[in-house]
């Protein structure tokens, strides 16, 4: 699915896409790479789009678990499960995302 | 050699004992493995449980929305390869021998010891039925059983634990009075301006808050019937929670020769004066270059993050070059998410940067000499993440005073 024009997503900026379920987060890193992952932290209901982007990692804005945007892996508690990653392609200056077929790791009590 | 992969071969260490199996102990084991240590790790815990997360005990676990399984700190795919000795207390530490003696009579000798015994809640002499402290999962289960609709709860102490318990109890239909000794709830943490906002938040959910009062005693013979204040005034209660602070769990180190007057005194990297003995988490008082003295930080994120610094120090014998982020803490109470980042020494200037006192979405910034040093937010998650980022950058530019004592690097493996 087409997300946006790359020109509309500045480096260091994240975009939450809630037209899909569960919502995804698209990050444009300072190094110019674009990644897409599930937007919801696997520990508790928090939007990673609101988090702290540093290199290829995003830190959850609530309890500071960090997710690697390349692999979805989490570095430390309280989150124990990684997030899904979604394939990103840039075509004609547009960001496209292919939503993963894997099951999302949603936090307890959260469903979409 | 980088400190990230200073493994067993480089340090000569073959075995590490971690005393304390909670957040900091677990983080220590994780850091040892992440940094390439492949020797023996023995983990000693006085509780019967594998490491679990404590913050939810006063929040979603207390209200029954989370289970003990939800609270586990270990991930399913975690391969720490640790020898667990749980439900067992450490009784003493012989530093030169790095020998930990246990309540079972057995003892564990190793090349290094990481002390992570945390803290214990302050209690009254008379802990009769209905009087609770909140530190362990068992404490939370016992308290929950007493929080029946219509019960009268008195919380002694207006710190984080007391206020979060008050909030959870209101959600369970309990009548709640908080009795605090400070000017406002959390005023020692946040200053009066922000603390007054905390009080309004609690009152909006029907919590009665009284400040500047000292609880002297619990009343009742077999079961609590109330509390008595220092003024002699008596307040009836069916349940009492003591949230009156904690002390470092260092009693077992009395004969060790370590300086434990304000927690286990350490250098900037968690190393004590005794070779091969380090301390992390709530029980540890690391040298703080900004305060110029050892200081105990009892925040969850520090307990989780600092052990990797100590482990790098232990494995490489050198002092890792990594700046510590400003402290960060959060508190969920009365439907509001309070977040704080930074470091307060007192006397900072406060300004409202976003939102407002009345709208419940306040963000305030503390400045010292015109420079931002801390921020606090109420339901301002996104802005707080941005402030944490900028506070980290500004903290990195603070150079420590020239008089910081640097511990001698280890010239040879422990026990050599």
């Amino acid at each position: 699915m087409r997300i946006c024009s790359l020109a509309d997503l500045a480096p260091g900026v994240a975009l939450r896409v809630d037209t899909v379920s569960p919502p995804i987060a698209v990050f444009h890193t300072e190094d110019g790479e674009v990644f897409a992952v599930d937007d919801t932290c696997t520990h508790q209901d928090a939007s990673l789009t609101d988090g702290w982007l540093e290199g290829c990692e995003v830190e959850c804005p609530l309890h500071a678990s960090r997710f690697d945007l390349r692999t979805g892996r989490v570095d430390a508690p309280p989150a124990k499960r990684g997030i899904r990653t979604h394939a990103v392609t840039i075509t004609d200056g547009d960001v496209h995302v292919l939503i993963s077929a894997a099951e999302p790791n949603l936090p307890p009590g959260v469903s979409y | 050699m980088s400190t990230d992969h200073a493994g067993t071969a480089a340090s000569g260490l073959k075995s590490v004992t971690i005393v304390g199996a909670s957040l900091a102990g677990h983080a220590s084991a994780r850091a040892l493995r992440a940094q390439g240590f492949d020797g023996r790790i023995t983990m000693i815990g006085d509780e019967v449980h594998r490491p679990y997360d404590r913050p939810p005990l006063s929040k979603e676990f207390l209200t029954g929305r989370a289970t003990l399984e939800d609270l586990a700190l270990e991930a399913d795919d975690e391969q720490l390869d640790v020898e667990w000795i749980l439900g067992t207390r450490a009784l003493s530490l012989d530093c030169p021998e790095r020998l930990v003696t246990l309540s079972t009579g057995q003892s564990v000798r190793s090349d290094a010891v990481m002390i992570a015994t945390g803290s214990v809640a302050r209690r009254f002499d008379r802990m009769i039925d209905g009087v609770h402290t909140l530190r362990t999962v068992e404490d939370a289960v016992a308290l929950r059983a007493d929080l029946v609709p219509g019960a009268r709860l008195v919380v002694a102490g207006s710190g984080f634990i007391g206020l979060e318990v008050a909030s959870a109890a209101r959600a369970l239909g309990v009548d709640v009075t908080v009795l605090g000794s400070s000017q406002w709830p959390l005023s020692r943490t946040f200053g009066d301006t922000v603390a007054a906002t905390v009080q309004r938040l609690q009152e909006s959910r029907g919590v009665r808050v009284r400040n500047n009062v000292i609880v002297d005693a619990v009343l009742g013979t077999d079961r609590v019937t109330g509390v008595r204040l220092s003024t002699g005034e008596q307040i009836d209660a069916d349940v009492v929670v003591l949230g009156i602070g904690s002390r470092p769990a260092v009693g077992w180190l009395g004969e060790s020769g370590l300086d434990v007057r304000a927690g286990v005194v350490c250098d900037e990297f968690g190393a004590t004066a005794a070779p091969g003995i380090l301390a992390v988490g709530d029980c540890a008082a690391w040298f703080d270059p900004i305060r110029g003295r050892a200081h105990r930080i009892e925040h969850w994120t520090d307990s989780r993050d600092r052990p990797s610094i100590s482990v790098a120090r232990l494995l490489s014998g050198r002092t890792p070059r990594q700046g510590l982020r400003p402290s960060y803490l959060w508190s969920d109470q009365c439907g509001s998410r309070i977040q704080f980042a930074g470091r307060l020494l007192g006397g900072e200037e406060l300004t409202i940067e976003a939102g407002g006192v009345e709208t419940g979405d306040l963000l305030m910034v503390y400045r010292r000499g015109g420079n931002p040093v801390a921020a606090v937010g109420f339901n301002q998650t996104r802005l707080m993440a941005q402030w944490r980022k900028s506070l980290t950058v500004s903290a990195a530019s603070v150079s420590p005073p020239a008089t910081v004592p640097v511990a001698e690097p280890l010239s040879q493996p422990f026990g050599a």
Side-chain angles (χ1 to χ4, degrees):
Chain A
M1 61 183 285
R2 180 187 178 277
I3 301 297
C4 63
S5 159
L6 184 59
D8 293 336
L9 191 66
V13 169
L15 178 71
R16 185 173 193 264
V17 180
D18 53 13
T19 52
V20 289
S21 184
I24 63 169
V26 182
F27 292 92
H28 192 175
T29 69
E30 298 285 359
D31 297 336
E33 291 184 279
V34 180
F35 297 101
V37 296
D38 278 351
D39 182 56
T40 311
C41 177
T42 62
H43 166 246
Q44 234 179 52
D45 194 4
S47 170
L48 296 177
T49 309
D50 290 347
W52 173 345
L53 179 63
E54 201 167 29
C56 286
E57 290 187 318
V58 63
E59 183 172 300
C60 175
L62 290 196
H63 306 131
S65 284
R66 292 170 150 233
F67 296 91
D68 188 318
L69 297 173
R70 294 162 298 189
T71 61
R73 289 182 61 101
V74 63
D75 76 326
K80 289 175 288 200
R81 296 168 301 153
I83 43 173
R84 286 191 309 172
T85 57
H86 309 287
V88 174
T89 50
I90 312 287
T91 314
D92 300 332
D94 285 345
V95 178
H96 293 263
V97 170
L98 179 65
I99 301 290
S100 163
E103 277 295 304
N105 288 328
L106 293 170
V110 174
S111 56
Y112 284 96
Chain B
M1 169 163 302
S2 86
T3 54
D4 287 351
H5 299 287
T8 310
S11 64
L13 288 179
K14 295 186 181 65
S15 56
V16 179
T17 299
I18 300 169
V19 188
S22 191
L23 181 65
H26 174 246
S28 299
R30 282 180 60 112
L32 281 163
R33 294 301 186 219
Q35 295 180 36
F37 178 73
D38 58 6
R40 182 166 57 92
I41 299 178
T42 308
M43 185 88 109
I44 297 159
D46 64 350
E47 293 181 66
V48 295
H49 309 288
R50 294 280 277 256
Y52 64 90
D53 201 25
R54 295 185 200 276
L57 296 182
S58 54
K59 307 177 188 78
E60 55 269 40
F61 186 83
L62 193 56
T63 55
R65 284 187 296 120
T67 64
L68 181 55
E69 194 183 343
D70 294 331
L71 270 47
L73 286 171
E74 293 167 276
D76 293 345
D77 59 351
E78 207 164 279
Q79 297 294 335
L80 288 178
D81 187 23
V82 166
E83 206 174 304
W84 298 93
I85 303 178
L86 297 175
T88 305
R89 302 186 70 80
L91 295 184
S92 66
L93 170 64
D94 177 332
C95 290
E97 297 293 326
R98 288 170 306 280
L99 182 78
V100 179
T101 304
L102 306 177
S103 55
T104 54
Q106 64 186 131
S107 55
V108 182
R109 187 190 304 268
S110 52
D111 295 334
V113 177
M114 296 188 74
I115 300 167
T117 40
S119 56
V120 288
R122 289 185 190 278
R123 304 159 70 90
F124 281 6
D125 291 341
R126 294 182 66 242
M127 294 295 288
I128 52 178
D129 278 359
V131 181
H132 300 265
T133 53
L134 184 53
R135 186 80 200 158
T136 66
V137 67
E138 285 76 16
D139 292 342
V141 168
L143 174 58
R144 191 196 298 167
D146 269 354
L147 294 180
V148 293
R152 297 164 303 170
L153 166 68
V154 163
V155 179
S158 59
F160 289 110
I161 298 264
L163 295 171
E164 288 176 3
V165 167
S167 166
R170 285 300 297 146
L172 294 168
V174 172
D175 175 272
V176 183
T177 304
V178 172
L179 305 173
S181 62
S182 54
Q183 193 73 23
W184 299 94
L186 291 172
S187 55
R188 293 189 194 108
T189 306
F190 291 147
D192 288 351
T193 312
V194 175
T197 304
V198 173
Q199 169 141 347
R200 275 192 296 274
L201 176 66
Q202 288 277 329
E203 288 173 338
S204 74
R205 293 290 171 108
V207 176
R208 276 185 302 280
V209 181
R210 289 182 57 182
N211 301 305
N212 302 306
V213 292
I214 308 277
V215 177
D216 251 0
V218 294
L219 305 171
T221 42
D222 298 331
R223 190 174 168 92
V224 70
T225 56
V227 298
R228 191 180 66 232
L229 306 183
S230 57
T231 56
E233 182 187 349
Q234 297 190 6
I235 298 171
D236 293 342
D238 308 305
V239 193
V240 172
V241 170
L242 303 179
I244 49 176
S246 65
R247 48 188 179 77
V250 295
W252 66 287
L253 297 168
E255 305 293 308
S256 67
L258 295 172
D259 182 349
V260 293
R261 283 168 301 177
V264 185
V265 173
C266 299
D267 68 10
E268 273 183 90
F269 311 95
T272 69
I277 311 286
L278 300 94
V280 291
D282 278 4
C283 71
W286 287 25
F287 182 83
D288 179 335
I290 297 196
R291 285 183 170 82
R293 59 177 168 81
H295 175 68
R296 212 157 64 85
I297 295 183
E298 296 178 84
H299 297 330
W300 189 97
T301 30
D302 289 271
S303 292
R304 185 195 67 176
D305 295 343
R306 286 182 171 216
S308 69
I309 297 170
S310 302
V311 164
R313 169 84 166 73
L314 177 69
L315 295 181
S316 71
R318 287 192 301 272
T319 50
R321 285 186 173 285
Q322 60 188 102
L324 263 182
R325 295 170 158 207
S327 280
Y328 167 65
L329 61 89
W330 73 89
S331 176
D332 302 328
Q333 45 181 280
C334 300
S336 188
R337 171 172 294 143
I338 305 174
Q339 295 173 288
F340 173 90
R343 187 197 296 258
L344 295 179
L345 303 177
E348 289 82 5
E349 293 163 2
L350 254 182
T351 51
I352 295 182
E353 299 282 330
V357 174
E358 302 306 327
T359 44
D361 61 349
L362 182 68
L363 188 127
M364 298 187 87
V365 172
Y366 300 82
R367 287 182 172 79
R368 203 161 38 239
N371 299 314
V373 292
V376 64
F378 292 72
N379 296 324
Q380 284 282 10
T381 308
R382 178 190 289 255
L383 274 179
M384 276 302 297
Q386 293 168 12
W387 272 104
R388 283 181 64 208
K389 199 168 178 173
S390 67
L391 287 166
T392 299
V393 171
S394 59
S397 63
V398 174
S399 44
T403 53
V404 174
V406 176
E408 281 297 303
L410 302 164
S411 54
Q412 54 187 348
F414 304 124

